[in-house]
Amino acid sequence: MELSWLMKMRIAAAVAAGVVLIGILAWPLAAPPEPSGTVSLLAGTITHVAAAALAALAFLAGFIAYFLSWPYGREIGILAAPSGLAIWAVRSGSMVGLIRRTAAARQPALFAALKWEPLFWLAIVAAGFAGVLLAQKISPKPEPDKTHQKSNSKPNIYLNVIIALVASVLIAQLCISVFAQDVRIFDEKLGSVVAQPATGQIIYAVFVSFGLAAFVVKKFLNVSYIWPTIASALVTAFVIITYGKQDVLQHLSLRWPAVFFSHAVISILPVQMVALGTLGSIAGYWMAIRYNYWRKHA
């Protein structure tokens, strides 16, 4: 079940739509004033008008990507918006830069606001998905007649979704804590603290972690990549609530420089978490499908 060169070209075209419209053309909407500045709502560079324009461009990217990757636009076009945001995730500065720029050090108010920022980036990804769905309505892919099999009961479906969300959050944050390690130093109160990882390490850690989470929930619960994608907006809040309590932040402020964190997830910007988490979730979902196909035909 190898990808054909034509399928690879469709994937590249869908990704390119997001990279051009969001990653390049929309960059001025969020570009920080300094070269190593941070892309974040808390940095104050994204206005309400810029946010609305970004959502519109994400919608347009998904819409265009659907037709560029026809007849598999529904499956491939969804890559456009998160691919564009992934360019921002790479170009952005670090969480340390955000902490220093906001002059809030490790104040609880900073992290209280940071908990909810991933929802904004998830909304941008959802706008891209909406563009794909509208394009599908306009020009649906022809489907052969199928006999519809009776699916699981609704209570089972809802239970699987809840389990998938919880499992995705737990698996992703655990794997990120392993893969996104920089220097780890012993601390008598917290056990250890971890230094700010490099951008390349963050990209690898988030993508692989959500890929594993999506693979697991697809393999064992047979659910969509949608739920690990939503989980990418919940991991930051979960870790801040668990590892970013006020006494922990005070301890870090007194004992450690700003480059050290109580958990690796807290060192990852929301735009990095959602963009790379979405791409990883989609990849992990399709890897699970290929694995099931291989097991069936081996």
Side-chain angles (χ1 to χ4, degrees), residues 29 61 66 115 118-119 188 227 245 260 279 296:
L29 296 175
Y66 177 88
K115 282 189 299 189
L119 295 177
E188 68 277 2
W227 308 111
K245 295 184 175 71
F260 286 98
L279 292 174
K296 187 176 179 180

Side-chain angles (χ1 to χ4, degrees), residues 75-154:
E75 295 80 12
I76 299 174
I78 54 176
L79 293 170
S83 296
L85 290 180
I87 301 299
W88 289 17
V90 172
R91 296 182 70 175
S92 174
S94 66
M95 180 66 77
V96 171
L98 177 63
I99 291 173
R100 288 172 175 162
R101 189 173 190 276
T102 55
R106 290 190 177 101
Q107 295 302 318
L110 170 69
F111 290 99
L114 202 65
K115 282 189 299 189
W116 307 112
E117 184 178 329
L119 295 177
F120 167 76
W121 300 109
L122 183 64
I124 301 302
V125 170
F129 284 18
V132 171
L133 293 177
L134 177 62
Q136 186 182 24
K137 291 270 188 191
I138 295 172
S139 181
K141 174 184 173 183
E143 295 281 357
D145 291 333
K146 295 179 182 177
T147 47
H148 294 284
Q149 294 181 342
K150 196 130 175 142
S151 58
N152 290 335
S153 64
K154 282 189 177 179

Side-chain angles (χ1 to χ4, degrees), residues 176-250:
I176 289 171
S177 69
V178 173
F179 297 140
Q181 284 196 42
D182 195 80
V183 177
R184 183 173 288 275
I185 301 177
F186 171 77
D187 179 89
E188 68 277 2
K189 178 176 180 177
L190 305 178
S192 64
V193 291
V194 61
Q196 171 75 61
T199 300
Q201 195 171 5
I202 288 173
I203 294 168
Y204 168 78
V206 177
F207 183 87
V208 172
S209 297
F210 278 95
L212 289 172
F215 182 93
V216 169
V217 298
K218 171 60 181 172
K219 178 75 177 67
F220 295 102
L221 299 172
N222 194 30
V223 297
S224 167
Y225 52 78
I226 293 295
W227 308 111
T229 296
I230 292 174
S232 71
L234 305 178
V235 169
T236 299
F238 172 77
V239 171
I240 288 176
I241 291 170
T242 307
Y243 298 94
K245 295 184 175 71
Q246 186 168 354
D247 60 324
V248 172
L249 297 177
Q250 287 178 341

Side-chain angles (χ1 to χ4, degrees), residues 156-193:
N156 283 346
I157 293 173
Y158 295 148
L159 180 61
N160 281 357
V161 164
I162 293 170
I163 294 173
L165 274 173
V166 173
S168 296
V169 169
L170 295 177
I171 292 171
Q173 66 90 20
L174 177 62
C175 291
I176 289 171
S177 69
V178 173
F179 297 140
Q181 284 196 42
D182 195 80
V183 177
R184 183 173 288 275
I185 301 177
F186 171 77
D187 179 89
E188 68 277 2
K189 178 176 180 177
L190 305 178
S192 64
V193 291

